[in-house]
Amino acid sequence: MINLVKRAQQKDEKAYGELIHIHQDSFYRIARSRLYNDEDAADAIQEMLLAGWEKLQTLREAKYFKTWMIRILINKCNEILRKKHPTESLEQIPEPYIENVEENIMFISMIQKLSEGTRMVMALYYGDGYTVREISHILEISEDTVKQRLSRGRKEVLKSYE
């Protein structure tokens, strides 16, 4: 994987394409968790791909490629949200996409009432399987903040089922 990133940093389009292919499902799930529809998610991914390609030489450590790309993707999603829905609350953003419809419905009902920050942490942790450290790096918040949001989210979910 690190070798692919280094080749891509040297403008090897094939290597970049392989990297994107490896991570495409995660990119889609994250974009879809932030945006209202598939078209907006596709736009955000497309913008992320272009920005990632143009700025790939600025990536300091190849092992953080996926995390770096996700950070770009989240920023692109936020830009789209600001352009399309400048006055709408982020609380109304749909929840993460999960391929199994039953799991998706359960996941949505589980976290739909959480605050945006808590919801994103829960989506990355439970929906995409990221570790606390990875989420901290992706969202550029401390690990303690990630742990607090996970704890708060779990408590709120338990309270809603009681």
Side-chain angles (χ1 to χ4, degrees):
M1 183 78 66
I2 292 175
N3 186 36
L4 276 176
V5 174
K6 290 183 180 188
R7 285 182 25 219
Q9 285 180 312
Q10 297 172 352
K11 294 297 183 188
D12 182 337
E13 292 176 13
K14 187 175 180 181
Y16 187 69
E18 287 179 47
L19 286 166
I20 298 308
H21 181 72
I22 291 168
H23 301 298
Q24 69 186 3
D25 291 338
S26 290
F27 294 153
Y28 177 76
R29 275 194 303 273
I30 290 167
R32 190 63 180 90
S33 76
R34 301 283 294 155
L35 299 170
Y36 289 93
N37 56 52
D38 288 334
E39 293 80 20
D40 287 344
D43 288 345
I45 291 169
Q46 201 167 32
E47 289 179 30
M48 174 210 60
L49 294 175
L50 181 60
W53 176 251
E54 290 173 349
K55 298 177 182 179
L56 191 56
Q57 292 77 20
T58 65
L59 176 62
R60 290 184 220 148
E61 292 190 50
K63 66 182 179 180
Y64 294 121
F65 172 78
K66 182 179 179 185
T67 302
W68 182 75
M69 291 293 283
I70 289 171
R71 185 73 237 157
I72 293 171
L73 179 59
I74 290 171
N75 288 334
K76 295 300 179 185
C77 290
N78 290 341
E79 286 175 18
I80 289 172
L81 285 171
R82 280 191 298 274
K83 288 177 188 173
K84 289 191 148 224
H85 310 284
T87 59
E88 269 188 49
S89 167
L90 290 178
E91 299 299 317
Q92 298 172 4
I93 297 171
E95 304 311 323
Y97 170 82
I98 299 173
E99 288 184 27
N100 182 317
V101 174
E102 290 174 15
E103 286 179 21
N104 192 30
I105 291 169
M106 287 176 54
F107 192 71
I108 289 171
S109 67
M110 181 179 76
I111 66 172
Q112 69 183 359
K113 295 176 183 165
L114 302 176
S115 68
E116 197 273 332
T118 303
R119 187 173 1 142
M120 180 54 81
V121 168
M122 296 282 283
L124 289 170
Y125 188 80
Y126 290 108
D128 238 358
Y130 285 101
T131 65
V132 169
R133 176 171 284 157
E134 291 168 331
I135 294 168
S136 169
H137 189 70
I138 290 168
L139 299 179
E140 297 177 346
I141 57 177
S142 73
E143 288 183 33
D144 286 338
T145 301
V146 172
K147 291 175 187 175
Q148 288 171 349
R149 290 180 183 178
L150 282 171
S151 176
R152 185 180 320 125
R154 290 179 192 124
K155 287 177 187 173
E156 289 180 31
V157 167
L158 282 174
K159 190 187 307 181
S160 71
Y161 280 111
E162 290 177 348

